[in-house]
Amino acid sequence: MAAVREALPEGRYGHSADARADRTLKIVGAILGAGLLALIAWFGYDYIAGQDVSGRMTGFKVVADNAVEVRLEVTKDKGTTGVCTVRTLDEYHGEVGRKDFTFGERQGDTVEVVTVRTTARATSAELIGCEPVR
């Protein structure tokens, strides 16, 4: 006959070591999870609030074999000078033009149509980025 061992009575000798370890792991996990969420939120806020100058290209028009008009929406503080870089590409995605446009301190949010001269006929244009002048 096999010996059957009876379990200890429930609750008589306190919580088992496994229950204490589980509780500790849950607490540590909750603290680390909250810390990670706070860190992600802080990085997101810093990224959005830290951008002094931002831009968006809303359209372009090829006006000649050597010129493209680009429509830019630039958002910046009124006391900041910003520079936006635009490049134009040919049908093989080779760069045929690039130009930096400066937006002065006195302008706030603005919409501008700028012209980029090209070395060959462009088929597309893209905004590389905008940044404050330092």
Side-chain angles (χ1 to χ4, degrees):
M1 187 182 225
V4 177
R5 182 173 179 173
E6 290 185 29
L8 296 174
E10 189 75 30
R12 182 168 181 182
Y13 298 104
H15 296 293
S16 72
D18 289 341
R20 280 192 295 266
D22 288 347
R23 183 167 186 251
T24 303
L25 284 175
K26 287 179 185 177
I27 291 170
V28 169
I31 291 171
L32 289 176
L36 181 63
L37 284 176
L39 189 65
I40 290 171
W42 182 74
F43 279 132
Y45 173 78
D46 185 57
Y47 177 75
I48 292 170
Q51 289 187 341
D52 296 333
V53 178
S54 64
R56 188 172 76 143
M57 185 180 80
T58 58
F60 71 92
K61 182 166 93 173
V62 178
V63 293
D65 285 341
N66 64 350
V68 175
E69 287 183 352
V70 179
R71 182 182 169 97
L72 297 175
E73 290 181 7
V74 179
T75 303
K76 66 180 193 60
D77 295 334
K78 203 164 192 163
T80 304
T81 299
V83 175
C84 294
T85 303
V86 176
R87 76 176 181 168
T88 56
L89 306 171
D90 63 9
E91 63 182 315
Y92 303 108
H93 304 288
E95 185 175 298
V96 293
R98 177 184 289 250
K99 189 166 182 183
D100 294 332
F101 298 97
T102 303
F103 299 95
E105 290 182 5
R106 295 190 186 138
Q107 296 171 315
D109 295 351
T110 184
V111 175
E112 297 281 334
V113 176
V114 295
T115 302
V116 179
R117 299 284 178 204
T118 63
T119 57
R121 184 163 185 86
T123 58
S124 65
E126 66 180 358
L127 175 64
I128 300 296
C130 295
E131 59 186 31
V133 175
R134 300 188 195 262

